């Protein structure tokens, strides 16, 4: 039996990872801030799939929260085989509309927590000669898209660099870059989604299935779905000035996504 730890497990993409990994027979460590919601999720997944699901309440915007999750990942007696760094959020508003406190909170959750948790997990996994880390970034990493896109670009660069450094260790690291996914993300940030075309929306369960397949194939970068693979191909050959004009409008009616 293997164990997977998922941050931001209670909603959206993280919940889809939890459903899929539980169905595949993995024990889980579920991490988020809302303890009642975590407990309900743990009970449901245990009852449905017969797996063990631990609850770990942690705010990854706080040092104490990051430290408690890192300590769990470093526990050699109860090893974690797969880490999904998924917790994240968007801030409502464009650059300079958002307070510095909120900008720094996003960097803490998207970058510092991802660095510290990946490192705690990877050290322990390297000792055992096996393990996997999926860091959830975004296709926003590849386009000029405010501080959100910048933080996700860091996740992609960090993860692919670490994957290269750990080649041959038995530990796989992969950056996952979803397009738009119907989750609680936009509502939580107070963002409108009316101007996002219907064809751009991805299903979280299908996204997770594609991501896990890419991880098993040893990819360090996963852009699930042919629609977004094609779009990313177009992005590569589009001048950045033009790209900035298009991407700053799509899905940013009330702020960055
Ligand atoms: N939805 C999209 O279109 C989209 C596209 C590309 C990438 N992404 C990325 O995918 C990831 C998951 O997003 P989602 O769309 O699934 O969002 P979501 O539905 O809003 O879920 C976010 C999850 O993260 C947890 N969380 C938020 N802040 C946290 C914190 N400070 N500490 C610990 N847990 C925290 C939330 O639980 P609590 O509130 O209980 O803590 C919840 O479980 C994010 O990294 C996001 O940037 C999303």
């Amino acid at each position: 039996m293997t164990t997977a730890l998922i941050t931001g497990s209670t909603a959206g993409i993280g919940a889809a990872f939890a459903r899929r990994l539980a169905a595949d027979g993995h024990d889980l460590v579920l991490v988020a801030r809302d303890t009642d919601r975590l407990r309900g999720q743990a009970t449901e997944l245990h009852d449905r799939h017969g797996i063990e699901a631990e609850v770990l309440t942690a705010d990854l915007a706080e040092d104490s929260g990051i430290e408690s999750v890192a300590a769990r990942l470093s526990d050699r007696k109860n090893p974690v085989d797969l880490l999904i760094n998924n917790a994240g959020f968007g801030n409502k508003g464009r650059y300079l509309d958002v307070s510095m406190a909120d900008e720094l909170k996003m960097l803490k959750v998207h970058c510092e927590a991802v660095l510290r948790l990946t490192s705690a997990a990877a050290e322990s996994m390297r000792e055992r000669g096996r393990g996997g880390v999926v860091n959830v970034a975004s296709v926003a990493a590849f386009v000029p898209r405010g501080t959100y896109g910048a933080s996700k670009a860091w996740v992609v660069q960090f993860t692919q660099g670490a994957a290269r450094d750990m080649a041959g260790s038995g530990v796989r690291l992969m950056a996952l870059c979803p397009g738009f996914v119907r989750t609680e993300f936009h509502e939580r940030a107070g963002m409108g989604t009316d101007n996002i075309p219907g064809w751009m929306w991805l299903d979280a369960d299908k996204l997770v299935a594609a991501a896990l397949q890419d991880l098993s194939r040893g990819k360090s970068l996963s852009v699930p779905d042919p629609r977004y693979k094609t779009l990313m191909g177009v992005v590569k050959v589009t001048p950045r000035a033009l790209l900035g004009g298009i991407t700053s409008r799509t899905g940013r009616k009330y702020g960055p996504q």
Side-chain angles (χ1 to χ4, degrees), residues 7-14 31-34 58-61 86-89 105 109-110 136-139 148 152 178-186 188 201 257:
T7 70
S9 68
T10 49
I13 296 168
V31 179
R33 291 167 299 183
D34 183 334
D59 183 349
L60 296 173
N86 163 77
F89 63 95
K105 185 176 166 184
V109 176
H110 288 183
V136 181
S138 167
V139 291
Y148 176 83
K152 294 301 190 179
F180 291 110
V181 190
R182 290 200 192 278
T183 67
E184 297 176 12
F185 181 100
H186 300 89
R188 281 176 187 244
W201 288 101
Q257 190 273 339

Side-chain angles (χ1 to χ4, degrees), residues 39-92:
R39 285 196 183 127
Q41 183 186 31
T43 303
E44 190 191 325
L45 292 171
H46 169 77
D47 291 351
R48 183 168 300 175
H49 302 289
I51 54 113
E52 297 302 320
E54 281 172 57
V55 162
L56 177 43
T57 305
D59 183 349
L60 296 173
E62 301 287 337
D63 280 324
S64 57
I66 297 174
E67 279 155 19
S68 67
V69 181
R72 178 63 187 84
L73 290 164
S74 300
D75 182 350
R76 294 338 192 230
K77 288 193 188 120
N78 299 295
V80 170
D81 305 282
L82 178 63
L83 165 63
I84 313 287
N85 273 315
N86 163 77
F89 63 95
N91 283 318
K92 180 181 173 181

